Amino acid sequence: DAKTTQPPSMDCAEGRAANLPCNHSTISGNEYVYWYRQIHSQGPQYIIHGLKNNETNEMASLIITEDRKSSTLILPHATLRDTAVYYCIVVKSGTSYGKLTFGQGTILTVHP
Amino acid sequence: ETGVTQSPTHLIKTRGQQVTLRCSSQSGHNTVSWYQQALGQGPQFIFQYYREEENGRGNFPPRFSGLQFPNYSSELNVNALELDDSALYLCASSLDGMETQYFGPGTRLLVL
């Protein structure tokens, strides 16, 4: 599975959009980008995933560059409850035997 | 719809003992994956159970073993506990081993 690089930490003001970048320059054509987050003392929470098209759900939007070497998770109106560690994971769907490889992630702090 | 539950929430053991952790998967899910999360680190994949059989394993020694039952709930057993086994143990359920996984709150194990 391709390796990902994320900034260790980011800040965001409450009510503003939080844009979390992820670099995955070695991604191959059949690998998906998944995003999870982990709020302190809780289990990780699935947010969104995509292959090459931009995706949106009730939690967030995922923007993947045309060359697929990077992506951005967008929380459109961040709240204090969005403070968490955000993990970007690249994986070949259906062949990973459920193995998600978590890196260090990005600590997002949303402040009032 | 019932989410993923884990028991116990906290556990204290001494070195050399054995421990069993339990996980009930989300309704409709047939796959359970287990992860170990040391303090300050991302979760590390231990193994996955699909339809009562181990279906993928991470870099963990054989003293980490598991079971999955016909109702798809699962157990993680760790023998000969070591101090480094102190961690948060997370289980995640999914459908057919897919990468969209739903995590439980975890069991925090302390080995003294």
Side-chain angles (χ1 to χ4, degrees), chain A residues 32-105:
Chain A
Y32 284 73
V33 180
Y34 278 75
W35 284 84
Y36 282 78
R37 74 179 182 183
Q38 188 171 23
I39 297 170
H40 183 63
S41 297
Q42 297 182 21
Q45 178 188 23
Y46 166 78
I47 302 173
I48 198 168
H49 74 280
L51 182 62
K52 53 184 176 181
N53 297 323
N54 297 336
E55 302 288 345
T56 295
N57 63 20
E58 66 278 4
M59 288 183 68
S61 294
L62 174 61
I63 308 297
I64 303 174
T65 58
E66 193 168 342
D67 63 9
R68 303 187 67 240
K69 292 185 177 182
S70 65
S71 60
T72 301
L73 178 74
I74 301 172
L75 308 178
H77 306 286
T79 71
L80 299 179
R81 288 177 295 180
D82 292 322
T83 294
V85 181
Y86 286 77
Y87 297 99
C88 169
I89 301 169
V90 171
V91 64
K92 290 179 187 172
S93 185
T95 64
S96 68
Y97 298 110
K99 178 183 179 180
L100 298 176
T101 301
F102 290 82
Q104 293 294 101

Side-chain angles (χ1 to χ4, degrees), chain B residues 6-20:
Chain B
Q6 293 186 242
S7 63
T9 55
H10 295 82
L11 204 51
I12 300 175
K13 292 285 188 178
T14 56
R15 195 169 48 182
Q17 285 189 311
Q18 177 265 342
V19 69
T20 297

Side-chain angles (χ1 to χ4, degrees), chain B residues 28-93:
Chain B
H29 286 178
N30 55 15
T31 307
V32 172
S33 302
W34 285 92
Y35 294 81
Q36 179 196 67
Q37 186 173 24
L39 204 59
Q41 305 295 316
Q44 300 296 306
F45 176 75
I46 303 175
F47 44 54
Q48 179 191 74
Y49 277 82
Y50 172 62
R51 294 187 175 179
E52 303 179 57
E53 300 221 349
E54 188 178 294
N55 188 41
R57 189 177 185 94
N59 189 25
F60 281 81
R63 60 189 185 84
F64 286 78
S65 63
L67 282 173
Q68 187 178 33
F69 301 98
N71 66 355
Y72 303 125
S73 66
S74 177
E75 287 183 352
L76 165 65
N77 299 290
V78 187
N79 293 322
L81 284 167
E82 301 177 358
L83 298 180
D84 284 348
D85 295 334
S86 294
L88 179 68
Y89 288 85
L90 296 156
C91 80
S93 75

